Amino acid sequence: MGSSAYSPLDQLMQVNPHRKTGIRRRNHGRPHSVEDEPEVPQLCWLTVKIVSMRNLCKADLLSQTDCYVKLWLPTASCQGGRTRTVPNCRNPVWNETFHFIIQREVKNVLELTVCDEDTLTADDQLFTVRFDVAKLQPGAKVHLSFELNPETQEELEVELLLENIPGASENITTNGVLVSREVCCLEVHVDERKTKSPYTRRHFTFTMKGSYEGTQDVSPSPLCSQGSSGTTTFHYIKHSQPRLHMTLPEESCFCDHGSARREMDVSVPLPSLALGKTVTVMRCGSYEVSVKEEDGGKNSDVRLGFDLCPEEQDFICKRKKVVAAALKNILHLDEDLQEDEVPVVAVVTTAGGVRSMTAMFGSLLALQDLGVLDCVSYISGLSATTWTMAKVYEDANWSQRDLRGPIDDIRKCVVKSKLHCFSLDHMKYYEKELCERKQEGHKLSFTDLWGLFIDCMLHHQESTQKLSDQQVALKQGQNPLPIYLSLNVKDDFSTLDFKEWVEFTPYEVGFLKYGAFVPSEAFGSEFFMGHLMKKLPESRICFLEGAWSNIFSHSFMDAVHLLGHSEDFWHRWTRGTERDVEEHPTLPKRPYEQPTCLSIPKGCLSNTLREMLTARPVVSTYHNFLKGLQLHNKYLENERFCMWKDTVLDSSPNQLGEMGDYLKLVDTAFFINTSCPPILRPERKVDVILHLSYNGGSQTLPLDLLSEYCSERGIPFPDVQLSQEERDHLKECYMFDHSSEAPILVYFPLVCDTFQKYKAPNVERDPTEMEQGRVDVSNCTAPYGTGLLTYTEENFNKLLNLCSYNILNNNHVILQALRAAVERKKRLKSSSSPHSSKLPSSVF
């Protein structure tokens, strides 16, 4: 990648001149502007010449800067480059050239970091220039000056040249946001030839940065008359300019004349190899190292696309039959609904520990008694409401059976002391389960133990249920589809600064923002560039519950956000400085190009403070199925990505695209306490949302935050404005239906209003029953504090009956919303197409 006396482009073509021209693409859910572009060669050779710096500001107190420049283009190569150091100079000149192979459909941002070399301490990074390679046109050499500081006339000079590679091709899969590139498999063979050497150590270490395997050890079999060999493999991006780093054993360093006993590190660049051809890369002493490149390509195991998966689409078709029959019954319709007249209804919840779990049981019971549960197609939960969902979905026909049975079972668990969960037998059981989980290949965290505790707390015996097992409950459309919600976060960032919605269904697990999904049974397995590399046993759902309801994951900055305080003060102390800079001459602008950015990092003290403020005690850790995938060149123009982008790194593709080894999942309630986001995916076409709030503090705060979130991103959502009088004296139910573009919202705050006087709708309490109507849900403390795991039977029944009553007492509002949704669907149908097919009136 560094300077050379010959053309690397010529070398590339000479090594393998038989590659086909052009690019073959598989597109899934891509925007129209991307799909319709003509097919052109997309592999290019980028030449970067670091010329000089002018008027470099002084970094050392006693001398001028000892300056060098680091180059980093992670989408092209995992090998960084750097210039030589020019000591004690304000105007260093380098004139050093570096080369990269780039895929133009990927967002390639070249980072040039100017550093000051120090002898006694770590080198200082003075600043970084980030340049979008999409600004360049093939065949035109440009000489650019980046104006870093107009006042001091500080400038960095570089020369850039982009050239098409006419003889190379690459298969890619993309949805317009993420790109899965072609993968190769490198077989590395170590042959031990016949020798009389007395030394017996035969241990090799091979490393290929950026590969799935990373580092591998090889030990050939004991020497025999025929010789012996050892083999290992590396999977890597085909056009990533790989280098094979080898640590050779002591014996290989001996020549016939003898030498000192030592190990030797060797780094070998691997140009394009002919597939299936063995090439010797090292002969030394009694060993020979050879490599062979094989096609590692196969169909992607990660689904890149924003559409619903085929299984969910099939479920919705089946579910609409159930919903159509239920709506005809409760709305007293004269005719069967046609398929395009059936509204999609969703139930969403908020978090609140055992309070929310208990309250949700009461709400579901009331919806079932009213016949509304059969009108629901989706149930979305977060935090502790996922405990309710996981419990009911243990029965494949739960919504068709009386929920009072499961409620009686959960009542016994809630009122029972939790001390038994800490017994010696249970501790031994936890240890055994965690050891087995580690042996399976999962990365352990404290949330795994928390999940086992939840399982013990809510079940009389251990549950073996897995998320994919819930597919049985959906096979005939007999129940709503459950959606569980979590947040993916990054180290050194608060949840407000970086969070990504991750949804879990019995069919798939995936990211709303990226449109990337894997089968639920494959979640937790190891992936690379969209390919399943190592299948791990599917996690039991209790371990997922530990991740969904991870109450231990909030940082100090998260607490600041939850308390309603601004993070601006802390950001000033912990964030680096970033601003756009001009390059001269000015290059032509394109909508999808990113401006050239100058980043000036904070010092060690600020970095330490940042680490302290953003440190999370515990996060749930799973293998990252996005590992290796890269961002599309026009990802910021994709409307689905823009709908869900909400991190400070969304416009920093190198940092956003650092698809690390692990996902770090936290409880959604630490950002917005609602499970609504996956329901708002346009592909789900939800018409009515029944929003059940079990929040322990302000009942309107989650709704306000969700409304603001949707407004900022252009997501259709009802206007939920309430007067201060209404906020101070909340009713049991509100209906918001102000726009045909947004779903109808029926909102149930957790309040104790008419329940104080009525034990059932229109049935007044007698004086002896008044105590049963006094339910204190006005705050998040006792008797329903979020942290409480045990209730008295009386308090459990009060909360259950309250939430059930609030639904029953507002049945007319729910029916009004359903009727309005049916009428809206009929109007939409009459204004579009007159043709539609009848649904059979039979119900499962």
Side-chain angles (χ1 to χ4, degrees):
M1 192 172 62
S3 303
S4 61
Y6 53 89
S7 168
L9 182 57
D10 293 338
Q11 182 200 30
L12 177 69
M13 297 306 301
Q14 289 171 4
V15 172
N16 190 3
H18 304 295
R19 296 187 184 272
K20 295 180 181 180
T21 303
I23 182 169
R24 298 183 296 278
R25 292 185 288 185
R26 295 187 293 273
N27 303 283
H28 301 288
R30 298 181 59 181
H32 184 271
S33 60
V34 176
E35 281 185 344
D36 293 347
E37 286 188 352
E39 300 271 337
V40 296
Q42 295 293 312
L43 286 173
C44 291
W45 192 262
L46 174 66
T47 301
V48 182
K49 184 178 181 180
I50 307 299
V51 181
S52 64
M53 275 285 304
R54 284 200 296 269
N55 302 314
L56 181 61
C57 291
K58 191 174 182 179
D60 296 323
L61 294 176
L62 302 178
S63 65
Q64 295 294 336
T65 305
D66 302 325
C67 186
Y68 66 90
V69 180
K70 293 194 301 185
L71 295 88
W72 179 235
L73 186 53
T75 51
S77 174
C78 291
Q79 307 292 331
R82 62 160 287 177
T83 66
R84 69 186 186 279
T85 300
V86 178
N88 198 25
C89 184
R90 288 194 66 208
N91 300 286
V93 177
W94 292 282
N95 287 320
E96 294 187 41
T97 303
F98 302 83
H99 306 279
F100 302 90
I101 299 174
I102 68 166
Q103 166 60 256
R104 292 184 67 199
E105 292 227 358
V106 167
K107 176 57 73 177
N108 299 288
V109 175
L110 175 65
E111 295 190 6
L112 305 174
T113 302
V114 178
C115 301
D116 175 35
E117 187 175 275
D118 292 323
T119 304
L120 300 178
T121 60
D123 294 352
D124 298 320
Q125 293 190 5
L126 305 182
F127 53 81
T128 298
V129 175
R130 298 190 178 102
F131 176 80
D132 190 350
V133 177
K135 294 172 177 279
L136 303 177
Q137 286 300 303
K141 181 183 291 187
V142 294
H143 189 105
L144 297 178
S145 294
F146 298 111
E147 189 178 86
L148 309 178
N149 190 333
E151 295 180 1
T152 61
Q153 297 183 332
E154 188 176 21
E155 291 184 344
L156 173 65
E157 285 189 81
V158 299
E159 193 173 87
L160 301 160
L161 173 62
L162 195 65
E163 300 173 273
N164 285 327
I165 304 177
S169 65
E170 182 175 21
N171 290 319
I172 67 170
T173 302
T174 182
N175 62 356
V177 174
L178 292 179
V179 176
S180 174
R181 298 184 61 183
E182 197 168 349
V183 172
C184 279
C185 176
L186 186 75
E187 294 183 2
V188 181
H189 304 272
V190 180
D191 296 313
E192 187 176 24
R193 300 178 297 172
K194 212 172 178 184
T195 180
K196 296 180 180 180
S197 171
Y199 302 104
T200 58
R201 183 179 179 188
R202 305 177 181 90
H203 179 74
F204 286 75
T205 298
F206 294 94
T207 300
M208 182 179 288
K209 291 183 178 180
S211 67
Y212 160 70
E213 291 79 5
T215 297
Q216 298 272 64
D217 292 331
V218 177
S219 297
S221 303
L223 185 65
C224 63
S225 57
Q226 301 299 321
S228 60
S229 64
T231 301
T232 190
T233 58
F234 292 93
H235 293 81
Y236 61 96
I237 302 175
K238 189 173 191 176
H239 300 283
S240 61
Q241 299 168 272
R243 297 181 71 91
L244 184 64
H245 299 266
M246 299 179 284
T247 300
L248 307 181
E250 293 172 353
E251 181 188 344
S252 66
C253 301
F254 277 72
C255 304
D256 294 337
H257 303 291
S259 67
R261 205 172 172 185
R262 61 186 177 86
E263 289 186 343
M264 182 170 68
D265 290 329
V266 179
S267 180
V268 180
L270 299 175
S272 296
L273 303 173
L275 292 180
K277 182 179 179 181
T278 300
V279 178
T280 299
V281 295
M282 172 65 66
R283 285 192 184 97
C284 190
S286 61
Y287 298 101
E288 178 178 279
V289 180
S290 59
V291 297
K292 180 172 67 173
E293 184 179 271
E294 299 288 354
D295 187 2
K298 57 179 179 178
N299 291 333
S300 177
D301 299 299
V302 175
R303 184 176 72 86
L304 294 181
F306 291 90
D307 291 337
L308 303 180
C309 66
E311 295 84 358
E312 184 172 340
Q313 295 181 40
D314 180 63
F315 162 80
I316 286 297
C317 290
K318 293 176 180 177
R319 185 63 181 173
K320 280 191 174 183
K321 299 176 183 179
V322 180
V323 173
L327 286 172
K328 182 180 180 182
N329 182 39
I330 65 174
L331 296 181
H332 307 293
L333 302 178
D334 296 329
E335 298 181 351
D336 292 341
L337 290 175
Q338 297 178 353
E339 182 175 6
D340 48 6
E341 296 173 344
V342 179
V344 177
V345 182
V347 169
V348 304
T349 62
T350 65
V354 174
R355 178 184 65 250
S356 64
M357 179 193 70
T358 305
M360 188 176 182
F361 270 110
S363 300
L364 291 178
L365 178 61
L367 292 174
Q368 184 184 62
D369 289 345
L370 293 174
V372 174
L373 192 55
D374 284 336
C375 302
V376 176
S377 295
Y378 293 102
I379 295 180
S380 177
L382 76 165
S383 197
T385 58
T386 65
W387 304 351
T388 304
M389 295 165 61
K391 183 68 176 178
V392 298
Y393 277 92
E394 291 175 358
D395 183 350
N397 295 286
W398 69 270
S399 67
Q400 308 302 313
R401 295 176 179 161
D402 192 343
L403 277 173
R404 289 171 179 81
I407 289 174
D408 289 340
D409 187 54
I410 205 68
R411 181 189 289 111
K412 295 175 184 177
C413 295
V414 171
V415 303
K416 184 178 180 181
S417 171
K418 305 304 180 290
L419 290 178
H420 73 286
C421 298
F422 301 96
S423 68
L424 181 60
D425 288 341
H426 277 96
M427 289 299 178
K428 291 179 179 179
Y429 164 70
Y430 298 157
E431 183 180 17
K432 178 179 74 70
E433 290 296 311
L434 294 176
C435 287
E436 289 181 1
R437 184 166 173 79
K438 184 176 182 180
Q439 291 172 359
E440 290 172 350
H442 295 282
K443 186 173 177 63
L444 296 185
S445 70
F446 180 79
T447 56
D448 295 318
L449 179 60
W450 168 237
L452 291 171
F453 180 85
I454 295 171
D455 186 41
C456 174
M457 182 176 67
L458 301 180
H459 294 85
H460 301 294
Q461 58 184 12
E462 67 177 91
S463 172
T464 60
Q465 186 190 35
K466 300 179 177 65
L467 182 58
S468 62
D469 293 340
Q470 296 181 4
Q471 294 177 14
V472 178
L474 309 173
K475 195 170 184 180
Q476 303 300 325
Q478 68 268 40
N479 301 298
L481 174 69
I483 305 175
Y484 307 87
L485 188 62
S486 186
L487 283 178
N488 180 50
V489 297
K490 271 185 182 289
D491 291 336
D492 297 334
F493 287 90
S494 70
T495 307
L496 187 63
D497 279 346
F498 188 97
K499 66 277 177 186
E500 297 173 330
W501 302 108
V502 184
E503 70 170 34
F504 296 73
T505 76
Y507 300 126
E508 285 189 322
V509 178
F511 283 83
L512 275 63
K513 180 165 72 173
Y514 300 116
F517 302 87
V518 294
S520 57
E521 58 269 20
F523 177 72
S525 295
E526 296 184 32
F527 288 79
F528 177 71
M529 195 53 76
H531 302 304
L532 178 61
M533 307 301 295
K534 183 179 180 181
K535 179 70 170 68
L536 302 185
E538 183 181 358
S539 297
R540 288 164 48 194
I541 203 165
C542 68
F543 293 116
L544 297 179
E545 288 177 306
W548 299 331
S549 57
N550 182 2
I551 61 175
F552 312 102
S553 60
H554 66 283
S555 66
F556 178 83
M557 295 282 271
D558 294 336
V560 169
H561 168 62
L562 289 173
L563 292 173
H565 300 299
S566 172
E567 296 185 359
D568 292 343
F569 173 78
W570 307 104
H571 285 160
R572 286 199 298 270
W573 286 94
T574 60
R575 278 184 181 176
T577 302
E578 291 200 2
R579 58 182 174 84
D580 295 345
V581 296
E582 297 291 335
E583 66 262 353
H584 301 285
T586 303
L587 298 174
K589 301 291 184 182
R590 293 177 183 81
Y592 55 88
E593 292 174 3
Q594 296 192 221
T596 302
C597 173
L598 175 68
S599 175
I600 303 175
K602 288 287 186 181
C604 294
L605 180 60
S606 294
N607 290 336
T608 302
L609 179 61
R610 181 186 184 90
E611 291 175 1
M612 294 172 55
L613 296 179
T614 59
R616 295 179 175 87
V618 179
V619 294
S620 188
T621 308
Y622 285 86
H623 291 290
N624 184 7
F625 60 86
L626 299 183
K627 183 179 179 180
L629 297 173
Q630 299 178 349
L631 290 165
H632 192 273
N633 190 31
K634 299 181 181 179
Y635 78 98
L636 280 174
E637 294 217 311
N638 188 287
E639 60 182 14
R640 290 293 180 262
F641 179 87
C642 293
M643 176 178 290
W644 302 111
K645 71 171 186 175
D646 55 3
T647 84
V648 296
L649 297 183
D650 284 334
S651 297
S652 302
N654 286 355
Q655 286 69 43
L656 183 66
E658 286 179 345
M659 305 301 184
D661 292 338
Y662 298 101
L663 301 176
K664 298 187 175 180
L665 303 181
V666 301
D667 196 319
T668 307
F670 292 129
F671 173 49
I672 297 180
N673 188 8
T674 176
S675 63
C676 206
I679 296 303
L680 297 175
R681 282 179 59 187
E683 297 78 17
R684 291 203 163 107
K685 302 176 182 177
V686 172
D687 301 288
V688 178
I689 297 175
L690 305 180
H691 197 302
L692 312 176
S693 176
Y694 311 126
N695 197 42
S698 168
Q699 293 299 306
T700 57
L701 179 60
L703 194 61
D704 292 338
L705 293 176
L706 178 62
S707 176
E708 180 183 358
Y709 182 89
C710 293
S711 176
E712 290 175 352
R713 286 154 187 81
I715 301 173
F717 194 75
D719 182 2
V720 295
Q721 294 296 324
L722 293 174
S723 67
Q724 190 59 48
E725 175 67 21
E726 290 175 308
R727 291 173 181 272
D728 293 338
H729 302 89
L730 287 172
K731 298 186 298 183
E732 299 160 345
C733 181
Y734 295 88
M735 176 176 165
F736 302 98
D737 180 18
H738 305 296
S739 169
S740 60
E741 301 295 324
I744 300 170
L745 178 67
V746 181
Y747 186 66
F748 287 88
L750 183 59
V751 295
C752 186
D753 188 13
T754 60
F755 183 69
Q756 300 175 65
K757 296 182 180 180
Y758 294 85
K759 61 182 180 182
N762 300 318
V763 180
E764 291 191 23
R765 298 182 183 276
D766 60 41
T768 62
E769 296 173 323
M770 297 304 291
E771 178 61 29
Q772 299 302 315
R774 297 189 180 99
V775 188
D776 184 8
V777 291
S778 60
N779 55 58
C780 53
T781 58
Y784 301 108
T786 303
L788 292 177
L789 299 178
T790 303
Y791 291 172
T792 65
E793 185 169 357
E794 181 184 13
N795 285 335
F796 179 93
N797 292 335
K798 281 184 177 181
L799 182 60
L800 183 85
N801 294 334
L802 167 66
C803 293
S804 180
Y805 169 86
N806 284 351
I807 297 286
L808 295 173
N809 195 47
N810 291 277
N811 180 37
H812 62 287
V813 180
I814 298 176
L815 296 182
Q816 180 185 351
L818 295 176
R819 188 172 287 107
V822 171
E823 292 173 355
R824 183 191 291 184
K825 299 286 282 188
K826 288 185 176 183
R827 288 196 302 270
L828 180 63
K829 169 191 169 184
S830 62
S831 64
S832 55
S833 172
H835 304 291
S836 57
S837 57
K838 287 270 187 176
L839 280 171
S841 58
S842 60
V843 183
F844 300 107

